[in-house]
Amino acid sequence: MKKLNILIFTATLFLPSVVAAADPPASPSAVKLDKAGIEAFATQFFEQKEVKEQLAGALLVIVKDGQVLLNKGYGYADIAAKRPVDADTTLFRLASVSKLFTAAGIMQLAEAGKVDLDKDVQTYLPDLKIPNTTGAPLTLKHLMTHTTGFDNADNVDSDKSYSLKNYLNDMMPTVVRKPGEVFRYDNFAFTLQGYIIEQVSGLSFQDYVSKNIFNPLGMDSSSFIFNDEVKQAIATPYDNNLEQLEQIKNVPDNSPQGGMFSTGGDMARFMLAMLHNGQAGDGRFLTEASVKAMEHTSVTIHPDIPGAGYAFETNYPKDYNGYTVVEKGGDLSGFHSNLWLLPGQNTGMFLALNSDKGNLRLPFFEQFMSRYFPRTDAGPAFLKPAPDKQQLLRFEGLYRHLRTPVLRYDITATDGALIVRDALGTHTLRQADDLLFYDEEGTPAGFKSDADGNITYFSYNMTDSWAEKIPVPPIFSDVPVNHPYAKSIYYLVQLGAIPGGTNEFKPDKAVTRGQFLSQIMPLAGFQLSTRPSVFSDTKGSPYEAVIQTAVDYGIVQGLPGSIFGPNQPLTREQAATFIWRMVKISLNADPVKVDLKTPASPWASEGVQYIAGQQLFGPDVQAAGGPLEYRAKDPMLNKEAAELIYKLVQKLF
């Protein structure tokens, strides 16, 4: 079973901070940032009750004006052994912060004239073919800014050891959107960059980075290989209950997209060099022009909204307090990290954690900025007079998150504002420019339009991808708009869970086992498995990949005789069990106790009670007083499956 999936990342990445930011100073003047003050500030932060309750271990590094102001460990690298975090010897996984080093390697090759950032990357890949249906070239700039247009931008987990080349051969996605058109976080793009570094330099990715980045910077403890030395020094990872997790292996073996291990001392050296325009002692590891190019906002939905540079990103601009901040975050099972640079203030911070519990990075940053770089401007200015509802109607609609389709924005126009409903609640956006809005907390939101002025994309508080506006689907001949299940059916068509474009939906036909999984697995953000099917009767089935994905995640177990029965009708209790396992594994959902008129099979009891208790059903279930009649053993019809999935999406996302 896989250790972590996108649903867990979704649950942790977009939830509000669990520790409140400190109140800003009464005056806009900043507190001086020096060694004594920052040590006291950091101690006070980690002594907060809410922080202590969530902390396993942490590594915190602060640099300014060429000096290391703080490089210190907090809590434990191993809780059971009471081994404290040592900032100079304890290794942490950087996860996606690793991408900064991969992009730096590409910039070095560009400086040497060995690659052209605007040239089709196929030029550097004579032994690999990237499928591209758009007719537009895919460049290194697209790879570094998460604008590739790949249909699958997330690396697939595997227990297999992979070289870069073999991994790319097995997992190669297809370019389906014009490169440069839209931002969608892209792990595969950075894996591909690592292989281009190998092809162009003639060195393995690890050897290239060691020779050209780690050695010049004096980063002697850092590595992209999970070798014996790393295993001895790495912090122990913990889950969101602070229970120990297994160390995960790098896939591929050197993982340019997220496989780096480092210490506080090494990360201090990297930040100092970046803030000194690439200077490292008497030499350089990057030119000043390359550093500025990496930090420059190359992709944004609106000029007033920070976006993506070369591997750098700007996730939480409302907390930047008017300062220029570039950052990079990283998330893996049991490890979370963030690096922030304020180039204009010669200041950098790096925070790494070895547990999934809470989200201490954002509260730390909020409190740090409130103390040392408080806001001095008045905030956004809005259009006056405020636009009326008619003027805002073009923004209305359903927007689907490109990376995790189950996440969506439902936008409604009112006089003077847009009302946005999403996984975090309901928000009011007020207009500041043609395609620029701000919510009540000052978080910016932007829209993108096509050449004809039609709204196409939206970017707001789910920072790893833009969302695309989904057209209203055509009406099925057998599902009129007043059909009792019409809302759920057409909603799922818009999200892509149910195929549209056909004349009939056949609402009263039983859904099959394979068909149901094909609706829920991609919608929830699971990347499809490339493993051979474990079931004899799914090989060659159009549902083979989604069924195997569900097996990999522990969501399905199959039928007696090592078969799955992809074309067999799905029973209501089977559907309930699939959903229950998904939410239990992915979101740590708790069981629900409900009285049922007719009991389910023993193996399905928890699932059916969860579905019944959460009321994930339509008028097909009699719910008026007394025990529920869920009809657990009946076939699940197409309309009932749509209602179940729709209500699950509404409740959880």
Side-chain angles (χ1 to χ4, degrees):
M1 185 188 303
K2 301 187 180 183
K3 307 296 188 299
L4 189 70
N5 61 47
I6 291 177
L7 286 178
I8 290 180
F9 283 138
T10 298
T12 59
L13 196 59
F14 302 123
L15 288 178
S17 304
V18 291
V19 182
D23 291 335
S27 69
S29 58
V31 176
K32 183 180 180 182
L33 179 55
D34 56 22
K35 283 188 177 183
I38 193 60
E39 175 124 19
F41 167 80
T43 298
Q44 182 182 32
F45 176 80
F46 286 106
E47 284 297 318
Q48 292 175 81
K49 180 177 181 292
E50 298 91 341
V51 173
K52 291 175 71 173
E53 289 174 347
Q54 297 173 47
L55 183 68
L59 176 65
L60 180 59
V61 184
I62 310 289
V63 301
K64 182 173 174 58
D65 296 332
Q67 290 187 306
V68 179
L69 301 186
L70 183 72
N71 177 31
K72 190 172 180 178
Y74 299 85
Y76 293 109
D78 188 296
I79 294 174
K82 301 295 183 185
R83 176 166 62 96
V85 174
D86 185 302
D88 289 313
T89 61
T90 304
L91 289 171
F92 280 73
R93 290 182 183 270
L94 300 195
S96 284
V97 174
S98 311
K99 290 178 172 66
L100 295 175
F101 295 82
T102 303
I106 292 291
M107 297 304 291
Q108 289 178 335
L109 295 176
E111 291 174 6
K114 295 182 178 180
V115 298
D116 183 335
L117 302 185
D118 293 306
K119 198 168 187 177
D120 194 324
V121 297
Q122 194 65 66
T123 306
Y124 310 112
L125 300 168
D127 55 347
L128 288 176
K129 177 65 176 177
I130 302 175
N132 188 338
T133 64
T134 70
L138 174 67
T139 70
L140 282 164
K141 284 184 179 178
H142 298 138
L143 296 184
M144 289 192 289
T145 57
H146 306 276
T147 57
T148 61
F150 282 141
D151 58 349
N152 178 9
D154 287 293
N155 288 3
V156 179
D157 288 344
S158 174
D159 295 329
K160 180 179 175 181
S161 292
Y162 268 109
S163 67
L164 265 177
K165 180 180 179 180
N166 290 341
Y167 184 88
L168 293 169
N169 261 324
D170 283 0
M171 310 299 180
M172 185 65 73
T174 299
V175 181
V176 295
R177 282 186 171 84
K178 182 180 179 182
E181 178 182 333
V182 62
F183 171 79
R184 176 191 179 191
Y185 196 84
D186 198 323
N187 280 305
F188 193 89
F190 282 81
T191 311
L192 193 58
Q193 288 173 62
Y195 187 62
I196 291 172
I197 289 173
E198 289 192 345
Q199 289 291 94
V200 173
S201 71
L203 299 172
S204 71
F205 176 74
Q206 166 67 22
D207 287 346
Y208 179 88
V209 174
S210 294
K211 178 181 178 181
N212 295 281
I213 300 178
F214 293 161
N215 292 346
L217 295 180
M219 298 178 67
D220 299 331
S221 299
S222 298
S223 175
F224 271 88
I225 302 295
F226 194 31
N227 53 30
D228 290 339
E229 291 82 2
V230 170
K231 292 175 183 177
Q232 290 179 0
I234 192 169
T236 300
Y238 298 92
D239 66 13
N240 58 4
N241 294 314
L242 294 184
E243 295 179 0
Q244 184 173 334
L245 293 167
E246 294 179 18
Q247 296 283 0
I248 58 175
K249 62 187 291 186
N250 275 357
V251 181
D253 297 338
N254 48 26
S255 295
Q257 80 287 353
M260 185 173 157
F261 310 89
S262 196
T263 63
D266 280 8
M267 293 306 293
R269 295 178 183 94
F270 174 72
M271 290 192 292
L272 288 171
M274 290 297 293
L275 292 167
H276 200 207
N277 294 319
Q279 190 81 29
D282 295 331
R284 283 188 172 275
F285 90 106
L286 284 175
T287 65
E288 180 178 350
S290 290
V291 171
K292 291 188 181 306
M294 287 182 66
E295 296 173 349
H296 173 70
T297 299
S298 298
V299 175
T300 178
I301 203 163
H302 187 279
D304 289 344
I305 299 179
Y310 296 164
F312 279 108
E313 58 204 22
T314 49
N315 284 335
Y316 303 105
K318 78 177 182 63
D319 301 308
Y320 297 164
N321 294 344
Y323 292 88
T324 296
V325 179
V326 293
E327 63 176 295
K328 186 73 196 81
D331 297 275
L332 279 173
S333 180
F335 288 96
H336 305 272
S337 60
N338 222 97
L339 181 147
W340 300 270
L341 297 179
L342 285 77
Q345 285 65 45
N346 292 315
T347 300
M349 302 87 74
F350 175 74
L351 175 62
L353 306 161
N354 62 326
S355 86
D356 296 331
K357 189 168 186 177
N359 181 9
L360 298 179
R361 293 168 295 174
L362 183 54
F364 164 78
F365 182 68
E366 290 173 338
Q367 293 184 31
F368 178 89
M369 292 298 291
S370 292
R371 179 173 179 81
Y372 294 106
F373 300 99
R375 177 173 290 281
T376 58
D377 60 28
F382 300 106
L383 292 183
K384 293 183 179 179
D388 60 27
K389 178 178 179 179
Q390 189 64 34
Q391 293 170 301
L392 296 175
L393 281 178
R394 65 180 179 136
F395 300 107
E396 276 197 342
L398 186 65
Y399 294 76
R400 176 176 53 207
H401 191 257
L402 285 171
R403 191 180 184 203
T404 311
V406 72
L407 299 173
R408 78 283 178 212
Y409 298 99
D410 202 338
I411 300 180
T412 306
T414 63
D415 283 335
L418 296 175
I419 305 301
V420 179
R421 295 172 179 84
D422 60 24
L424 299 180
T426 301
H427 320 274
T428 300
L429 301 184
R430 296 168 59 203
Q431 194 168 15
D433 195 8
D434 182 34
L435 299 174
L436 176 65
F437 292 74
Y438 289 88
D439 71 9
E440 310 92 326
E441 296 183 346
T443 302
F447 293 87
K448 183 177 180 179
S449 61
D450 61 18
D452 297 322
N454 301 308
I455 300 299
T456 52
Y457 297 107
F458 176 59
S459 177
Y460 178 35
N461 54 7
M462 300 176 192
T463 56
D464 62 337
S465 171
W466 294 355
E468 62 179 340
K469 190 175 184 181
I470 313 170
V472 177
I475 301 298
F476 294 114
S477 63
D478 52 359
V479 185
V481 292
N482 61 350
H483 190 283
Y485 293 85
K487 183 176 181 180
S488 57
I489 291 168
Y490 290 121
Y491 189 90
L492 294 187
V493 172
Q494 283 190 283
L495 288 186
I498 294 173
T502 59
N503 185 46
E504 292 184 332
F505 175 68
K506 300 180 180 177
D508 296 313
K509 182 180 179 180
V511 68
T512 68
R513 288 164 56 83
Q515 183 184 355
F516 184 73
L517 287 179
S518 74
Q519 294 170 358
I520 63 174
M521 296 301 290
L523 180 66
F526 291 98
Q527 299 305 314
L528 296 185
S529 177
T530 58
R531 304 172 197 243
S533 175
V534 298
F535 299 118
S536 60
D537 63 342
T538 59
K539 291 180 171 61
S541 166
Y543 308 123
E544 180 178 1
V546 293
I547 292 169
Q548 187 57 42
T549 303
V551 172
D552 292 346
Y553 281 94
I555 293 168
V556 303
Q557 297 172 348
L559 300 172
S562 299
I563 64 171
F564 181 76
N567 299 317
Q568 291 184 20
L570 177 78
T571 66
R572 293 166 63 83
E573 63 182 5
Q574 289 171 351
T577 300
F578 291 166
I579 294 296
W580 165 239
R581 288 176 183 160
M582 177 184 289
V583 297
K584 184 178 180 181
I585 292 167
S586 302
L587 299 175
N588 297 312
D590 294 322
V592 177
K593 292 290 185 181
V594 175
D595 289 334
L596 299 173
K597 186 174 181 180
T598 304
S601 300
W603 55 265
S605 179
E606 276 195 350
V608 170
Q609 289 191 65
Y610 178 81
I611 296 298
Q614 298 291 342
Q615 297 188 333
L616 305 181
F617 50 74
D620 51 275
V621 173
Q622 299 299 319
L628 286 176
E629 181 55 272
Y630 187 72
R631 300 183 291 109
K633 294 180 173 57
D634 286 2
M636 173 155 276
L637 306 183
N638 279 327
K639 64 185 181 183
E640 297 167 353
E643 188 80 7
L644 166 58
I645 298 171
Y646 169 76
K647 289 194 170 177
L648 180 72
V649 168
Q650 294 296 313
K651 184 169 288 288
L652 296 183
F653 304 100

